[in-house]
Amino acid sequence: FERVRSVFERARICRRLESGELGADDANAAWRDLPALPDEQAKRLGARLEAAGETAGEDVLEGNRARADRAVLTMELVAGVDSPPDARGARMELKVSRLNESMRGEREATDPEEEMDALLTNWAVTGPLDPDAAKSLEERAAKALEAFYGQSLD
């Protein structure tokens, strides 16, 4: 769970840097204090940190929001936690899509921990979001991870 917490905290650092809650020096210091990650995760998250200070246009924010929404919604589904009322329609569509893929043989059975790990990484490396969406998705991701692993991220 230490690795999960490290990935989650790195995503939080990026969000705080993007929102101006944290300066670059403090972000880099907090980043260095976290436990090391496997090379591929470290590389992807490092690229995310480097890009965290860049300004993103509305089209980029919207695309990032769609990717982050999908990752967090799937995390909630895998963890067996409720999604917010405004996401229930999208959750039902996701469940049906996953079921159809399984029935057609397009979706292989995966280890739930491997799937959750991939979802966490995909959410964590998603670029900047508008501040309200970023905070909401972070809270939802934390809830899903804590339910799935049975441990607190704090």
Side-chain angles (χ1 to χ4, degrees), residues 42-94:
K43 181 179 173 182
R44 291 180 69 197
L45 285 158
R48 170 83 168 87
L49 178 65
E50 288 177 23
E54 299 173 6
T55 303
E58 285 299 315
D59 56 332
V60 171
L61 292 175
E62 287 177 24
N64 290 347
R65 171 68 188 257
R67 284 186 296 281
D69 273 339
R70 177 72 177 215
V72 171
L73 190 63
T74 309
M75 289 167 75
E76 291 168 334
L77 184 64
V78 171
V81 299
D82 290 335
S83 300
D86 63 336
R88 290 197 180 126
R91 181 180 172 126
M92 182 57 70
E93 288 176 19
L94 177 61

Side-chain angles (χ1 to χ4, degrees), residues 19-34:
S19 71
E21 292 176 50
L22 200 60
D25 290 341
D26 291 335
N28 285 317
W31 194 275
R32 284 189 303 272
D33 289 342
L34 293 170

